[in-house]
Amino acid sequence: MVEGVTLTVEVRVGLAVTEVADGCPHTELLRRADIAMYEAKSSGRNLVTYSPERDGGRLDRLSLLAAELRYALTQDDQLFLELQPLIDLATDLPIGAEALVRWRHPRRGLLGPSEFIPIIERSELIHPFTQWVLDEALSVIGSWHTGDLDVPIAVNLSARSLLDRTLPGDIDRMLRKYRIPASKLVLEITETVIMSELEVVEEVLDGLRSIGVQIAVDDFGTGYSSLTFLARVRVDEVKIDQSFVKAMHHSVEASAIVNSTIALASSLGLRVIAEGIETPEQRAELEALGCTGGQGYGLYPPMSIDAATALVEEAADGLSGASAASGH
Ligand code: C2E
Ligand code: MG
Ligand code: MG
């Protein structure tokens, strides 16, 4: 019983055994246990013991990818960021850009984040990877000349990064290195972060807030505890998940969620961004509902850093030209 509610907890166990004499390193042993656990989850069995026959292929593939990623992080031509502009739905001006990572794999071609982020999240690569993304994003912000136009860059953080007590200090150091005001950096986190180890997460979030970086809740509405999240974690921005934007037209429920999220965010004084806007109808409806910002293929797709730079600097030039003409 938790606060009067009966919760049912289910456990799946993955077991991996080794003889000390085998000389199997502990990371390898953990990886095997992990694979057995995933098999337990997917097959619905409570306990699965690792067996090399069944999982050899998968194990090899995962550990190979992890090794290749470790190498990719040391190269400058494999991992790269694209930026997807966020715009003000009323004025069309860019109000931000989200950094989205891609991997130009030497043999497998271009890979999207869903193909390798899960591997990063389950390995010790999480720390160097997060540092790499932040470093790239901050160097872009540092190079932008946007005048009066405020265009922060948003970086996605894995839930696991919020368990890293050194994160706020690291970010603070990087902001100083590039001489960037902290408010130019938005960190996107998801609701899942508060499900576990709340104390550490709160400590890290407090640390980040005290530096002055902005926090956004990504994929809002998809977790189990969206409202609780907003009550607990002070954020600057709410991003409505694209599944609701997509379903808004034919689903009363989705449209109610979009509607009330916009109302909730505005009564809390938060920016609200609708993700995954693909059609003019979606855009018009969101604007009518009072949604201030949008992101989606129907506005701008993710693009190269150069293309995004040209776009925001052009918008900034247009803005300063317009204010000069009107005598401001
Ligand atoms: P996200 O943070 O929700 O990012 C938005 C995703 O939606 C991006 O996919 C973007 O390309 C896609 N998208 C944008 N507009 C539209 C649209 O109109 N329609 C549709 N269907 N999709 C749209 P992407 O680049 O594949 O990234 C997927 C997820 O991977 C991201 O979801 C984010 O959670 C994660 N991710 C990306 N980069 C990083 C990173 O550097 N670190 C971490 N930890 N996660 C990342
Ligand atoms: Mg995001
Ligand atoms: Mg999202």
Side-chain angles (χ1 to χ4, degrees):
M1 295 281 282
V2 177
E3 291 180 1
V5 179
T6 307
L7 300 181
T8 311
V9 178
E10 292 185 0
V11 177
R12 307 271 185 236
V13 177
L15 181 69
V17 183
T18 186
E19 299 283 330
V20 178
D22 285 353
C24 175
H26 70 279
T27 47
E28 172 61 19
L29 193 57
L30 282 172
R31 234 192 315 269
R32 290 182 188 176
D34 207 35
I35 283 167
M37 182 197 66
Y38 277 97
E39 201 189 327
K41 281 186 176 178
S42 61
S43 65
R45 280 178 291 160
N46 291 336
L47 175 74
V48 168
T49 305
Y50 170 80
S51 86
E53 300 80 51
R54 266 201 311 280
D55 301 314
R58 186 182 148 89
L59 177 67
D60 287 349
R61 198 171 57 80
L62 288 185
S63 49
L64 179 64
L65 261 189
E68 289 173 332
L69 260 171
R70 192 169 304 122
Y71 177 71
L73 277 166
T74 67
Q75 302 298 300
D76 54 13
D77 59 345
Q78 292 201 25
L79 292 172
F80 64 101
L81 294 181
E82 285 195 319
L83 292 174
Q84 185 175 31
L86 278 61
I87 67 159
D88 181 321
L89 291 177
T91 63
D92 264 337
L93 286 170
I95 50 170
E98 177 172 5
L100 298 163
V101 69
R102 278 91 181 82
W103 183 9
R104 207 181 286 114
H105 190 283
R107 281 174 295 102
R108 284 155 30 89
L110 188 62
L111 303 181
S114 62
E115 292 170 274
F116 59 92
I117 295 270
I119 298 169
I120 291 178
E121 287 176 338
R122 281 192 272 134
S123 71
E124 78 292 350
L125 295 172
I126 182 83
H127 187 78
F129 171 74
T130 307
Q131 302 285 313
W132 178 84
V133 176
L134 285 164
D135 208 54
E136 289 287 307
L138 290 176
S139 80
V140 174
I141 307 177
S143 73
W144 276 0
H145 303 286
T146 56
D148 291 337
L149 190 63
D150 190 23
V151 195
I153 291 187
V155 166
N156 292 283
L157 283 188
S158 293
R160 259 190 71 197
S161 293
L162 294 175
L163 298 174
D164 176 2
R165 286 195 168 90
T166 64
L167 185 72
D170 289 344
I171 291 183
D172 195 33
R173 223 166 298 122
M174 285 191 233
L175 288 164
R176 286 172 204 279
K177 170 173 140 198
Y178 290 104
R179 298 166 188 275
I180 292 167
S183 62
K184 294 273 184 199
L185 179 65
V186 179
L187 299 174
E188 296 195 1
I189 60 177
T190 55
E191 298 162 37
T192 49
V193 301
I194 61 158
M195 301 292 282
S196 60
E197 309 201 49
L198 192 58
E199 258 168 52
V200 191
V201 171
E202 267 173 7
E203 184 188 319
V204 172
L205 282 171
D206 281 349
L208 293 171
R209 295 214 63 95
S210 68
I211 302 172
V213 296
Q214 304 194 57
I215 311 273
V217 207
D218 204 357
D219 307 337
F220 188 76
T222 56
Y224 296 110
S225 54
S226 304
L227 295 178
T228 318
F229 186 90
L230 284 191
R232 257 177 164 158
V233 181
R234 211 147 44 83
V235 300
D236 304 279
E237 179 181 296
V238 172
K239 299 186 81 173
I240 304 175
D241 188 66
Q242 54 184 41
S243 58
F244 302 113
V245 173
K246 208 148 287 164
M248 207 169 50
H249 275 294
H250 53 264
S251 150
V252 187
E253 290 79 11
S255 125
I257 289 172
V258 170
N259 218 329
S260 43
T261 304
I262 295 170
L264 178 66
S266 74
S267 70
L268 292 171
L270 311 177
R271 278 195 310 273
V272 54
I273 308 287
E275 299 190 275
I277 299 182
E278 293 183 354
T279 68
E281 293 76 27
Q282 289 166 341
R283 179 197 169 137
E285 186 167 340
L286 286 159
E287 203 183 334
L289 289 174
C291 185
T292 44
Q295 177 179 359
Y297 298 160
L299 306 170
Y300 291 108
M303 57 182 78
S304 71
I305 290 173
D306 286 349
T309 303
L311 187 135
V312 298
E313 291 189 347
E314 212 165 283
D317 285 349
L319 195 66
S320 68
S323 63
S326 67
H328 291 301

